[in-house]
Amino acid sequence: MNYNHIFSKIYDTLEETENPGEVASYIPELKNINPNKFGVHLTTLDGHHYSFGDSDEKFSIQSIAKVLALVLAYQLENEKLWERVGVEPSGTPFNSLVQLEYDKGIPRNPLINAGALVISDILISHFNEPKKQFIDFVRKVSGIPGIDFSVKIADSEKSVGYTNAALVNLMKSFGNIRNDIDDVLDFYFNLCSIEMTCKELSRTFLFLAGYGVCPYSNEQIINASKSKRINAIMQLCGFYDEAGEFSFKVGLPGKSGVGGGIIAIHPDKYSIAVWSPRLNKKGNSIRGMKFLELFTTETQASIF
Ligand code: DON
């Protein structure tokens, strides 16, 4: 299938309509991005690449990185992981505090902020040098040694991270955070600060299309059962209180970030990364979601 042709056709369709939404501004450093950037990259399991627009420009992947932290924590903890975090869609915003009190400090799922903070706490407990060992894992999965945190973005988020601090404090009071609160927040802000291009993002997540195996290195990152479950969590929780909408319109497991990126997986076929920084009120990329909706419609291929 000539995906390049489809990409430019869909982009032309999008250009005929207005480009609404705002870039994330609650993290000061994210305000500096050109809101009209647009990139897409698709990598197939059999090694073909298709791209369009600003696909080689790095951006802050933000919450998309939560999936990689989850993969590593699941690998280390196995099914014990689910004693500390659930697998249910939250139906609430990504940084919501409300359910956490009812649920006695157990986050509904690992992709909302509360869940990713618990995952951060778990990784800190396993490692001597958590940030280094985590980024080494991301480099291994992506096969790209240059992938890194952005100190500038992590520091910028730390300077305003009051809600995340509230989440971690509340969970600590329920006994679901074992390490020092500042260490957990520092790890979490760095996790969210990782920068990738669409091409790098699509390559990094290809193992989730390949039942846990990186096709370019043949390395098994996680087994097929765990890969299935990570995809299931993305399908149900990857877009917070818009997860149903994404599933309904796109029909693929995916994950968004407030940097404007989205990764989506077609198991057994490909991973696709889209980047468009203008967000809706729920913190998801408007054009990114629309692009993927038109893409799965035009190609008549989704998991359903
Ligand atoms: O904690 C935060 O608010 C950000 N570091 C991540 C939020 C995010 O990407 C939500 N996704 N759409």
Side-chain angles (χ1 to χ4, degrees), residues 26-27 62-63 94 113 157 164 188 192 240 256-258 283-284:
Y26 74 99
I27 300 172
Q62 288 295 321
S63 286
F94 61 84
N113 289 13
E157 183 165 11
N164 285 315
Y188 173 81
C192 294
Y240 316 106
S256 63
V258 290
N284 299 317

Side-chain angles (χ1 to χ4, degrees), residues 242-280:
E242 225 179 3
E245 182 86 3
F246 187 78
S247 205
F248 184 67
K249 292 194 167 152
V250 178
L252 296 176
K255 180 76 204 83
S256 63
V258 290
I262 296 178
I263 186 75
I265 312 293
H266 197 315
D268 219 22
K269 284 196 168 61
Y270 60 73
S271 62
I272 182 168
V274 191
W275 174 47
S276 171
R278 290 182 187 271
L279 310 178
N280 62 21

Side-chain angles (χ1 to χ4, degrees), residues 3 9-10 28-29 70 73 77 83 90-91 94 104 157 167 169 179 182 215-216 227 237 252:
Y3 290 126
K9 189 172 144 193
I10 295 174
E29 198 57 41
L70 168 64
E77 290 271 313
E83 291 169 13
S90 66
F94 61 84
K104 302 197 167 24
E157 183 165 11
L167 288 166
N169 273 286
N179 294 283
D182 289 334
Y216 41 88
S227 179
C237 316
L252 296 176

Side-chain angles (χ1 to χ4, degrees), residues 7 26 37 59 116-117:
F7 288 167
Y26 74 99
K37 290 283 175 188
F59 61 93
L117 286 160

Side-chain angles (χ1 to χ4, degrees), residues 84-272:
R84 293 185 58 190
V85 60
V87 295
E88 296 299 336
S90 66
T92 54
F94 61 84
N95 55 1
S96 174
L97 277 148
V98 287
Q99 281 167 344
L100 211 45
E101 190 179 10
Y102 290 119
D103 293 343
K104 302 197 167 24
I106 308 288
R108 286 278 164 106
N109 67 66
L111 301 183
I112 49 175
N113 289 13
L117 286 160
V118 167
I119 298 290
S120 299
D121 185 57
I122 288 169
L123 293 178
I124 292 170
S125 297
H126 274 278
F127 294 138
N128 302 326
E129 291 180 279
K131 284 190 279 184
K132 182 185 177 305
Q133 285 166 278
F134 178 69
I135 204 71
D136 283 348
F137 170 74
V138 177
R139 288 171 182 156
K140 181 182 81 171
V141 174
S142 64
I144 308 165
I147 300 284
D148 216 341
F149 304 117
S150 160
V151 177
K152 209 153 69 162
I153 292 176
D155 285 351
S156 177
E157 183 165 11
K158 199 176 288 179
S159 72
V160 295
Y162 307 113
T163 310
N164 285 315
L167 288 166
V168 83
N169 273 286
L170 187 56
M171 291 190 290
K172 181 99 179 166
S173 76
F174 282 109
N176 199 18
I177 293 290
R178 312 277 154 85
N179 294 283
D180 183 80
I181 279 170
D182 289 334
D183 292 344
V184 177
L185 287 169
D186 179 64
F187 183 93
Y188 173 81
F189 294 139
N190 275 279
L191 166 70
C192 294
S193 81
I194 293 174
E195 293 181 313
M196 290 192 197
T197 67
C198 287
K199 185 175 184 181
E200 291 169 341
L201 192 56
S202 149
R203 186 180 155 99
T204 304
F205 277 78
L206 197 55
F207 72 100
L208 289 174
Y211 304 97
V213 178
C214 275
Y216 41 88
S217 65
N218 260 337
E219 189 165 350
Q220 182 112 39
I221 304 297
I222 40 174
N223 67 29
S225 162
K226 284 181 172 157
S227 179
K228 172 192 77 178
R229 288 175 172 185
I230 301 284
N231 280 324
I233 291 172
M234 283 202 282
Q235 187 79 41
L236 293 170
C237 316
F239 289 74
Y240 316 106
D241 42 345
E242 225 179 3
E245 182 86 3
F246 187 78
S247 205
F248 184 67
K249 292 194 167 152
V250 178
L252 296 176
K255 180 76 204 83
S256 63
V258 290
I262 296 178
I263 186 75
I265 312 293
H266 197 315
D268 219 22
K269 284 196 168 61
Y270 60 73
S271 62
I272 182 168

